[in-house]
Amino acid sequence: SMILSQMILSQSLVVGLLTTPHTRRWIPRPNPQAAVTVYQEPELYDLAFCYRDFEGEVDFLFKAHERHADPPRRPDSVLEIAAGPARHVITAATRSPTSFRCLALDNCPEMVAYGQGIATELGVPLQYLKGDMADFSLGADGVIELTNGGGGALLVDSVWCLLGSTAHLLTGERFEGMLRSASAALSPGGTLILEMSHPRETFRLDDVTEEGWDVPFGDNPLGLGEGDCILGIQWGSEDDVFDPMTQIKDTTVEFTVARGRKDDGDDDAPDESHQQDVTYEDVHVVKQVVPQRAFTPQEVIALVRLSGSFEAPTFYGAMEGDPFVEADDLENAYRLVAVLRRK
């Protein structure tokens, strides 16, 4: 059965995102058993996070860079690491001059192909390559090979690691590797912006964090008539185990696609009643246990100091920039966003 929605989605937001390239329909793969992780289903992953306000979050990212960069100005180039569908950097490119340079990096080949496809259809000159966010380089024999024509490394103004992707760095050494790689890719005075889970989620004393929400999609996303689908997302389970020694939680993630089938009834009945008489059956399920590491602000500060490449981080409590939300705001802070300036 489908997951009860715990997250209210704006209808206009859902319709707008589901009608953009690569997000309107989900086409089952010839061999559905080949997808053993949720990250190998990039279309579903993209749908799962369509509730995010990418326009507003890019506003924040631009403003945060301008506030902390030296010199303080809007970035002309961005690299998004562990980028998934790369929605943030693609959105940034669509709102920037044609000279804006955008790059993306992810370790999953399905995500790389999917994100590159979105960029191509939107006319965004994205360079998207497969690689490890804890070990990459620009203008070298590493993951991203990019030079300015003169043989030197072409550095970027800002590096973004969003949607809690630092949780995939399971050790302090891996986190430090990400800092070193990002520092080497940044121009002096550039910024590294990390969006992580807020400490209040990490140190909850009640039940393990569990979220579930539904996203309708198909030819008529809000009508949900015959043939339309619902994607159910479950992120976390009450049975998930958190190891306080390693700060790693084995997080259960499940995507369930249910397709609607109109029940037999009076063909002359009004359309409204037909919309009521739709039965949904699960047609595709991908379930995975994902180890995720929680990093506290104090750990981030210590690892940044150890790297020696960045100034002390400034923390915010949301990807919102007017005004900026303080990380310790008890009412409005729900994410931990670290902004670091390269020395």
Side-chain angles (χ1 to χ4, degrees):
S1 61
M2 295 307 303
I3 302 162
L4 293 177
S5 177
Q6 297 176 354
M7 186 172 300
I8 305 299
L9 301 181
S10 159
Q11 290 191 350
S12 60
L13 175 62
V14 172
V15 172
L17 285 171
L18 293 183
T19 54
T20 56
H22 285 266
T23 59
R24 186 176 178 86
R25 292 185 181 88
W26 169 76
I27 300 175
R29 299 177 185 279
N31 179 15
Q33 299 303 319
V36 295
T37 76
V38 295
Y39 304 103
Q40 291 176 304
E41 291 280 10
E43 298 90 348
L44 298 184
Y45 184 94
D46 198 19
L47 281 167
F49 290 98
C50 73
Y51 68 88
R52 295 285 294 245
D53 179 10
F54 294 107
E55 293 282 345
E57 291 175 2
V58 167
D59 280 340
F60 166 85
L61 293 163
F62 280 165
K63 291 175 182 177
H65 174 82
E66 188 170 355
R67 173 183 282 200
H68 293 278
D70 183 16
R73 59 176 177 80
R74 180 174 169 139
D76 294 324
S77 53
V78 171
L79 164 64
E80 184 175 358
I81 60 176
R87 286 288 182 182
H88 287 95
V89 73
I90 291 174
T91 299
T94 61
R95 298 173 44 185
S96 300
T98 56
S99 59
F100 182 86
R101 292 184 290 105
C102 55
L103 301 89
L105 177 77
D106 199 281
N107 210 28
C108 176
E110 290 85 356
M111 283 290 186
V112 172
Y114 178 76
Q116 188 67 68
I118 294 173
T120 299
E121 291 194 20
L122 293 178
V124 171
L126 173 69
Q127 183 187 19
Y128 200 157
L129 296 177
K130 180 181 180 298
D132 183 356
M133 64 173 161
D135 185 16
F136 66 90
S137 60
L138 290 178
D141 292 330
V143 173
I144 294 183
E145 184 81 14
L146 185 64
T147 63
N148 58 14
L154 185 61
L155 304 179
V156 296
D157 294 332
S158 193
V159 175
W160 300 344
C161 186
L162 310 172
L163 285 168
S165 295
T166 56
H168 297 297
L169 301 168
L170 301 183
T171 66
E173 290 77 13
R174 294 270 298 159
F175 195 102
E176 188 184 1
M178 179 272 296
L179 292 176
R180 284 196 305 268
S181 295
S183 172
L186 281 167
S187 300
T191 62
L192 169 62
I193 303 178
L194 312 173
E195 180 203 0
M196 299 174 285
S197 297
H198 197 278
R200 280 200 294 271
E201 291 296 316
T202 304
F203 295 106
R204 289 181 61 152
L205 298 180
D206 54 358
D207 294 337
V208 173
T209 301
E210 178 179 355
E211 290 184 304
W213 65 99
D214 297 339
V215 179
F217 68 104
D219 289 333
N220 184 14
L222 297 181
L224 293 177
E226 185 172 4
D228 291 328
C229 297
I230 297 178
L231 170 64
I233 303 99
Q234 185 73 47
W235 206 281
S237 165
E238 61 182 9
D239 297 324
D240 290 346
V241 176
F242 177 75
D243 184 344
M245 294 298 293
T246 62
Q247 296 174 200
I248 294 175
K249 181 173 73 171
D250 289 332
T251 305
T252 301
V253 181
E254 183 172 351
F255 290 168
T256 303
V257 176
R259 178 171 285 121
R261 178 176 55 82
K262 193 174 295 185
D263 296 336
D264 294 335
D266 183 3
D267 291 338
D268 296 327
D271 290 342
E272 289 79 4
S273 65
H274 275 276
Q275 290 185 4
Q276 303 291 327
D277 300 331
V278 176
T279 299
Y280 288 90
E281 58 181 355
D282 295 351
V283 296
H284 184 69
V285 179
V286 180
K287 186 175 182 179
Q288 178 188 8
V289 176
V290 182
Q292 293 186 306
R293 164 72 185 268
F295 287 94
T296 68
Q298 294 304 313
E299 287 177 298
V300 173
I301 291 171
L303 289 167
V304 168
R305 183 180 297 121
L306 183 63
S307 76
S309 300
F310 293 94
E311 305 288 351
T314 299
F315 294 105
Y316 297 103
M319 296 258 285
E320 301 169 9
D322 193 19
F324 281 58
V325 177
E326 299 299 326
D328 58 357
D329 186 324
L330 294 177
E331 182 176 351
N332 298 308
Y334 61 97
R335 301 294 283 170
L336 184 68
V337 184
V339 183
L340 294 68
R341 182 172 69 233
R342 185 186 183 279
K343 292 180 178 178

